[in-house]
């Protein structure tokens, strides 16, 4: 894991594949919105930093991050083929989210690649994220 922005938060866990989430939910009645704040997790199958930047910027411009208290990023790093387009992916994330002060943890164990752990990530439970020590704890029972 890698701390992109340190800190701790409590919120409801939600997210998924970044492009599917952005293109499929933004502007729809199905976009999750937790008034008490949420912890947004995402990964990307094969997008370059430039495209990730565009998806995150789209969410930012739509006001999506106003109710986000923390972020967990799974596998997403793909190299640009052309040298002049190469960007540091972590600096790109920080640049898009520079006006937000929530914890951001890079934990590349989940995503589309078959060699990843791909743990089950429940949608909706109240969780506590500690980006400083790389932990995420459920604060309530969620499976019935």
């Amino acid at each position: 894991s890698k701390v992109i922005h340190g800190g701790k938060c409590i919120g409801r866990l939600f997210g998924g594949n970044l492009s599917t989430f952005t293109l499929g939910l933004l502007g729809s009645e199905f976009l999750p919105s937790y008034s008490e704040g949420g912890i947004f997790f995402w990964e990307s199958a094969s997008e370059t930093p430039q495209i990730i930047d565009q998806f995150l910027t789209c969410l930012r411009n739509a006001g999506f991050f106003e109710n986000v208290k923390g972020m967990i990023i799974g596998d997403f790093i793909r190299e640009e083929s052309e040298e002049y387009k190469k960007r540091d992916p972590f600096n790109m994330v920080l640049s898009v989210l520079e006006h937000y002060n929530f914890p951001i943890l890079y934990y590349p164990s989940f995503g589309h690649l078959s060699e990843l752990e791909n743990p089950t990530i429940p949608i909706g439970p109240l969780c506590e994220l500690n980006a400083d020590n790389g932990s995420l704890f459920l604060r309530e029972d969620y499976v019935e």
Side-chain angles (χ1 to χ4, degrees):
S1 69
K2 175 183 175 75
V3 177
I4 298 177
H5 191 273
K8 300 175 188 176
C9 68
I10 296 173
R12 301 223 171 258
L13 193 59
F14 72 103
N17 174 267
L18 184 62
S19 61
T20 302
F21 189 91
T22 306
L23 297 173
L25 297 177
L26 191 63
S28 80
E29 63 187 278
F30 305 107
L31 182 69
S33 176
Y34 298 110
S35 59
E36 74 275 18
I39 298 173
F40 179 51
F41 71 89
W42 61 269
E43 56 81 27
S44 179
S46 60
E47 306 295 350
T48 61
Q50 176 185 353
I51 301 301
I52 298 293
D53 182 315
Q54 291 172 351
F55 285 128
L56 292 175
T57 299
C58 182
L59 290 170
R60 182 197 67 205
N61 291 347
F64 172 77
F65 293 116
E66 298 305 314
N67 286 333
V68 170
K69 288 189 168 185
M71 182 182 290
I72 304 167
I73 303 172
D75 182 50
F76 81 105
I77 299 175
R78 300 292 176 265
E79 288 288 325
E80 289 279 3
S81 58
E82 299 176 49
E83 190 64 36
Y84 77 95
K85 289 184 179 179
K86 289 187 179 182
R87 297 175 65 188
D88 178 278
F90 303 113
N91 286 338
M92 176 273 303
V93 169
L94 286 171
S95 175
V96 172
L97 301 173
E98 68 182 338
H99 298 294
Y100 297 93
N101 195 29
F102 50 72
I104 304 172
L105 178 66
Y106 172 58
Y107 193 78
S109 67
F110 65 95
H112 275 74
L113 299 178
S114 61
E115 63 265 15
L116 297 175
E117 291 175 28
N118 280 316
T120 301
I121 303 174
I123 305 289
L126 191 64
C127 293
E128 181 176 343
L129 170 64
N130 183 335
D132 298 326
N133 69 13
S135 65
L136 179 71
F137 293 103
L138 275 92
R139 301 216 31 189
E140 63 186 10
D141 290 335
Y142 198 69
V143 179
E144 295 181 16

